[in-house]
Amino acid sequence: MVDRESLPYRDCVGLAIFNGRGEVFVGHRKGITDEHAWQMPQGGIDEGEDPLRCAMRELYEETSVTSVSLLAEAPEWIYYDLPDDTLGVAFKGKYRGQRQRWFAFAFHGDDSEIDVLTPGGGKHKAEFDGWRWEKLSRTPALIVPFKRPAYEKVVEAFGDIPQRFA
């Protein structure tokens, strides 16, 4: 049995990408058939890497998108814990969950720029097998249940952004 309290959180970023209608990008996690397989892009911060730079890197590696501008940064780190049955297994057993720095971006490109199947022209492993635009307020219902409280905090942090596009 793994002692949860002895494990650190993995530092990572999360990205809410807003289109011109105030909807956010959600990707369908590759190979997952569960109804809660949708999520916004996210990824681990490399040692010494600036979180904003990491966000731009992860966005490109997961979606091929570069046509964005920063709208906001969540005011604090957002945490989630892994469920007991994946503790000691997920993240190679090294972490208890993630500590995420969330950023909101405006997408200025055309939808054709988005490529989740061969991101970066095929230079990066596909994390998603599909995508769509969704209302930010609906994202907690789309994510795996153990991440739902984190997504509720993202909605709270960026909830005023869709009104800017109205």
Side-chain angles (χ1 to χ4, degrees):
M1 185 74 187
V2 176
D3 176 26
R4 178 180 298 280
E5 300 304 315
S6 69
L7 296 174
Y9 286 96
R10 177 180 179 242
D11 283 349
C12 103
V13 295
L15 300 90
I17 310 303
F18 289 88
N19 68 12
R21 295 180 306 277
E23 301 163 318
V24 292
F25 171 97
V26 291
H28 187 269
R29 293 181 59 225
K30 186 177 177 181
I32 307 293
T33 57
D34 184 270
E35 65 183 302
H36 300 111
W38 295 90
Q39 71 177 42
M40 291 183 272
Q42 66 174 52
I45 300 172
D46 293 335
E47 188 172 333
E49 187 176 27
D50 173 74
L52 180 56
R53 184 170 299 235
C54 175
M56 297 299 295
R57 175 181 58 76
E58 286 292 339
L59 178 61
Y60 181 73
E61 288 178 2
E62 293 185 10
T63 69
S64 297
V65 168
T66 58
S67 302
V68 294
S69 60
L70 182 64
L71 292 170
E73 180 177 349
E76 57 191 29
W77 290 91
I78 295 174
Y79 293 77
Y80 75 80
D81 286 295
L82 292 169
D84 289 342
D85 63 331
T86 61
L87 192 65
V89 178
F91 303 129
K92 300 178 184 172
K94 294 198 258 183
Y95 303 100
R96 67 190 287 180
Q98 292 195 7
R99 179 176 89 138
Q100 300 178 315
R101 198 73 186 155
W102 277 86
F103 296 92
F105 292 94
F107 175 60
H108 304 292
D110 186 83
D111 285 2
S112 63
E113 179 180 345
I114 301 169
D115 180 4
V116 299
L117 300 179
T118 55
K123 293 178 186 165
H124 303 286
K125 180 181 165 203
E127 305 235 355
F128 301 122
D129 58 16
W131 70 275
R132 70 179 195 231
W133 296 109
E134 184 58 74
K135 290 181 179 181
L136 177 65
S137 62
R138 287 204 12 85
T139 60
L142 302 174
I143 191 73
V144 292
F146 69 90
K147 290 184 182 179
R148 198 163 290 150
Y151 268 52
E152 289 167 352
K153 289 180 180 174
V154 172
V155 171
E156 182 180 324
F158 301 143
D160 66 322
I161 292 175
Q163 283 74 33
R164 298 182 202 175
F165 294 93

